[in-house]
């Protein structure tokens, strides 16, 4: 039987226990080995070039987006100084008041009785002092004639007059104290502002916090001038200075941008947030902004000194360390660094580096420390 095989080049008959076995000897296609050999140099040619760049110093100016709060420049909770009853209210929530304007009057009948008693005591002490003074004056006039009045009697009369005068002054001071206490029954505005809360009605029993009322009578806030308060993390505090201009927006007016300047810096970090409190004064004459609003603040962070600036792709953030890869004699060298501020595609780095060092532009952990860099592209 004739067999026709394209892939067979030889056939051989081998005797085995009386049987003839036909062995087919296969030969590979002559072009396959050449194709395998030709793949290796092709793969080597496809290895991409390692792109490096010279390390340089520069100034990176960035900004920090941070939330802030608008609070009244001045605000106060007004309580009653003495236990009393509310007699009349002159303002309500939303009322704009001027400094010194009367807000509420109260009454305390016992203070009237105390004042009347103090006045009666003054009149009694005045009568006693008048008598003792007249007695002293008579003795003094008589003592001008030698031998008529003993010096001891004259001294006792002078002491009695001085004592009665002191008691009269004490009675007058007691009366004045009660009269001033009655003045506390009228509460006036300490500064210009708006009443934002009212917690009493006529006839209510009020007094100092915890003794007559837990809540204040009124809450007064200044509205034409506000404070913008932010907490800046420790990493950015070195870039701040007084009079730096900032911009901010609020949710109720997202298309309008407001300006302010840094006026006050706490000079210490908060124990909880480890951030520094920064305050800006905001003029609010048109009253568009309200105390309590949340602001989105754009805080510029200008560079104080030149630093090493590299592309973000040159910095590797691994689970163990942060590093860049330096090309030294066509070999990779890992250099540990610390990062600073970032702006778009650039970032500040700090480490054992020098200007002119050749760093890999696209670094990654797969390029091991000490591995050879086959091709370098400037």
């Amino acid at each position: 039987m004739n067999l026709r095989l394209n892939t067979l080049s030889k056939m051989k008959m081998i005797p085995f226990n009386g049987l003839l076995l036909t062995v087919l000897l296969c030969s590979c296609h002559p072009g396959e080995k050449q194709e395998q050999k030709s793949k290796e140099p092709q793969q080597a040619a496809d290895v991409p070039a390692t792109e490096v760049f010279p390390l340089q110093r520069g100034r990176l100016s960035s900004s920090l987006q941070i939330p802030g709060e608008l609070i009244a420049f001045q605000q106060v909770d007004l309580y009653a100084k003495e236990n009393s009853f509310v007699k009349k209210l002159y303002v309500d929530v939303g009322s704009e008041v001027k400094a010194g304007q009367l807000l509420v009057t109260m009454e305390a009948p016992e203070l009237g009785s105390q004042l009347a008693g103090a006045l009666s005591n003054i009149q009694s002490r005045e009568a006693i002092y008048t008598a003792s003074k007249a007695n002293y004056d008579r003795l003094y006039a008589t003592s001008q004639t030698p031998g008529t009045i003993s010096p001891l009697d004259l001294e006792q009369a002078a002491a009695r007059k001085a004592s009665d005068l002191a008691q009269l002054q004490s009675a007058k001071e007691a009366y004045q104290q009660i009269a001033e206490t009655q003045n506390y029954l009228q509460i006036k505005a300490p500064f210009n502002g708006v009443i934002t809360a009212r917690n009493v009605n006529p006839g209510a029993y009020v007094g100092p916090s915890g003794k007559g009322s837990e809540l204040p009578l009124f809450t007064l806030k200044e509205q034409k001038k506000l404070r913008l308060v932010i907490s800046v993390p420790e990493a950015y505090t070195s870039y701040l200075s007084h009079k730096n201009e900032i911009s901010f927006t609020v949710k109720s007016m997202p298309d309008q941008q407001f300006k302010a300047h840094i006026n006050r810096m706490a000079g210490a970090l908060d124990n909880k947030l480890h951030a520094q409190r920064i305050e800006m004064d905001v003029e609010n004459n048109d009253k568009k902004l309200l105390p309590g609003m949340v602001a989105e603040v754009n805080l510029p962070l200008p560079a104080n000194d030149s630093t090493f600036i590299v592309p973000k792709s040159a910095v590797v953030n691994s689970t163990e360390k942060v590093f860049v890869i330096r090309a030294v004699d066509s070999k990779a060298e890992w250099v540990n660094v610390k990062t600073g501020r970032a702006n778009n595609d650039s970032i500040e780095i700090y480490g054992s580096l020098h200007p002119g060092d050749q760093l890999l532009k696209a670094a990654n952990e797969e390029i091991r420390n000490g591995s050879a860099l086959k091709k370098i592209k400037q």
Side-chain angles (χ1 to χ4, degrees), residues 51-56 60 308-317 323-325 337 339 341-349 359-363:
E51 187 175 358
V52 297
F53 65 94
L55 183 62
Q56 296 179 349
L60 182 65
F308 290 128
I309 300 175
V310 299
K312 291 181 178 179
S313 59
V315 180
V316 181
N317 287 278
F323 62 92
V324 295
I325 300 178
V337 296
T339 58
R341 297 173 301 159
N343 182 10
N344 297 328
D345 295 329
S346 300
I347 190 170
E348 294 177 333
I349 59 171
L359 302 184
L360 271 64
K361 189 172 183 179

Side-chain angles (χ1 to χ4, degrees), residues 43-290:
Q43 290 176 352
D46 290 341
V47 174
T50 302
E51 187 175 358
V52 297
F53 65 94
L55 183 62
Q56 296 179 349
R57 289 185 178 272
R59 293 179 182 270
L60 182 65
S61 295
S62 62
S63 61
L64 178 66
Q65 297 290 332
I66 191 169
E69 182 182 9
L70 288 165
I71 63 175
F73 190 78
Q74 297 183 91
Q75 62 181 40
V76 64
D77 292 331
L78 300 173
Y79 288 89
K81 176 70 166 61
E82 297 293 329
N83 293 332
S84 55
F85 296 91
V86 176
K87 184 177 182 181
K88 187 176 182 180
L89 299 172
Y90 298 93
V91 294
D92 209 329
V93 174
S95 299
E96 294 187 18
V97 299
K98 301 291 184 182
Q101 180 177 335
L102 182 62
L103 305 180
V104 59
T105 56
M106 295 165 291
E107 55 185 356
E110 62 275 13
L111 288 181
S113 300
Q114 293 175 11
L115 192 64
L119 181 60
S120 177
N121 189 34
I122 289 176
Q123 293 173 348
S124 174
R125 292 299 175 184
E126 281 181 342
I128 295 173
Y129 171 71
T130 300
S132 62
K133 182 177 183 301
N135 182 49
Y136 171 79
D137 292 342
R138 284 193 305 270
L139 292 177
Y140 180 77
T142 304
S143 67
Q144 300 302 311
T145 302
T148 55
I149 301 297
S150 69
L152 179 61
D153 292 339
L154 187 62
E155 290 177 0
Q156 289 179 345
R160 188 176 300 109
K161 183 188 75 168
S163 175
D164 293 340
L165 178 61
Q167 292 184 21
L168 175 60
Q169 294 295 336
S170 177
K172 288 182 177 180
E173 291 176 358
Y175 175 85
Q176 186 63 30
Q177 182 178 1
I178 298 173
E180 289 180 355
T181 301
Q182 273 200 325
N183 292 335
Y184 292 137
L185 298 179
Q186 293 184 343
I187 296 182
K188 299 179 179 180
F191 52 81
N192 298 343
V194 61
I195 302 296
T196 60
R198 190 201 81 177
N199 300 303
V200 293
N201 292 300
Y205 177 70
V206 295
S209 176
K211 295 184 178 180
S213 56
E214 297 296 333
L215 299 175
L217 304 179
F218 299 103
T219 298
L220 176 65
K221 295 184 179 182
E222 185 175 356
Q223 195 177 20
K224 290 188 177 181
K225 189 175 183 179
L226 304 176
R227 298 174 189 258
L228 176 58
V229 181
I230 60 175
S231 295
V232 179
E234 179 184 357
Y236 303 99
T237 54
S238 61
Y239 303 103
L240 302 177
S241 63
H242 288 86
K243 302 303 179 182
N244 278 5
E245 186 179 65
I246 63 98
S247 61
F248 67 94
T249 59
V250 294
K251 292 182 179 179
S252 60
M253 294 172 283
D255 58 339
Q256 187 170 355
Q257 195 173 69
F258 301 90
K259 301 288 186 180
H261 291 84
I262 295 178
N263 294 95
R264 287 168 294 278
M265 301 172 63
L269 299 183
D270 179 81
N271 292 332
K272 294 181 179 180
L273 301 176
H274 289 281
Q276 184 174 197
R277 180 187 175 100
I278 307 297
E279 291 187 358
M280 286 74 69
D281 294 344
V282 180
E283 297 296 333
N284 189 37
N285 294 322
D286 54 6
K287 301 178 185 177
K288 287 184 177 180
L289 301 172
L290 301 177

Side-chain angles (χ1 to χ4, degrees), residues 290-363:
L290 301 177
M293 281 185 169
V294 176
E296 187 66 27
V297 181
N298 183 2
L299 182 64
L301 301 174
N304 297 325
D305 195 6
S306 60
T307 55
F308 290 128
I309 300 175
V310 299
K312 291 181 178 179
S313 59
V315 180
V316 181
N317 287 278
S318 69
T319 56
E320 299 178 356
K321 61 179 70 177
V322 179
F323 62 92
V324 295
I325 300 178
R326 179 167 51 193
V328 180
D329 297 331
S330 297
K331 290 186 177 182
E333 179 185 0
W334 288 12
V335 181
N336 296 337
V337 296
K338 293 183 178 180
T339 58
R341 297 173 301 159
N343 182 10
N344 297 328
D345 295 329
S346 300
I347 190 170
E348 294 177 333
I349 59 171
Y350 304 89
S352 299
L353 297 166
H354 305 281
D357 286 351
Q358 301 293 315
L359 302 184
L360 271 64
K361 189 172 183 179

Side-chain angles (χ1 to χ4, degrees), residues 30-46:
E32 291 183 1
K33 292 184 179 181
Q34 294 179 358
E35 289 180 1
Q36 292 177 356
K37 292 181 180 180
S38 63
K39 286 182 180 180
E40 295 180 359
Q42 182 66 26
Q43 290 176 352
D46 290 341

